[in-house]
Amino acid sequence: MLAGVAAAGLIGPAIDEPKAWIAGLFIWFGGLWAARLMAKADPLLRGVYLRHRAYRGYYAARSTPFRLNSRSQRKRYSEPGKKK
């Protein structure tokens, strides 16, 4: 969707310029070719990307994942920006 909106925004000013159309088509199909080549080389990379997207933006520092925080420590070490 975003690519279509960007393409439409870039096509508008260059609608009467054949050189821009040729360059745009070359870039479009070149990018499509490169994406297909990468997908054929490593089809399991999609799972890596999806796992990467599932990670949180911030992980609070902890000395160990097995530490049990008391009530006052929980309040002190909660995630930044999260309502307490």
Side-chain angles (χ1 to χ4, degrees):
M1 181 78 176
L2 182 62
V5 171
L10 293 171
I11 287 173
I15 196 99
D16 294 330
E17 193 64 42
K19 290 180 188 177
W21 278 90
I22 293 169
L25 289 173
F26 179 75
I27 291 170
W28 179 268
F29 286 110
L32 184 62
W33 173 79
R36 287 183 177 174
L37 190 66
M38 288 187 290
K40 284 182 182 179
D42 191 2
L44 298 179
L45 193 60
R46 181 178 183 271
V48 174
Y49 172 72
L50 292 176
R51 186 175 64 237
H52 161 74
R53 297 290 298 160
Y55 289 154
R56 292 187 305 184
Y58 174 79
Y59 288 94
R62 300 279 192 260
S63 61
T64 175
F66 308 108
R67 177 186 170 111
L68 295 175
N69 291 330
S70 67
R71 181 172 291 202
S72 65
Q73 288 174 327
R74 258 185 249 134
K75 201 173 195 181
R76 183 175 180 188
Y77 297 123
S78 65
E79 290 183 29
K82 189 174 182 181
K83 298 212 177 212
K84 297 178 182 176

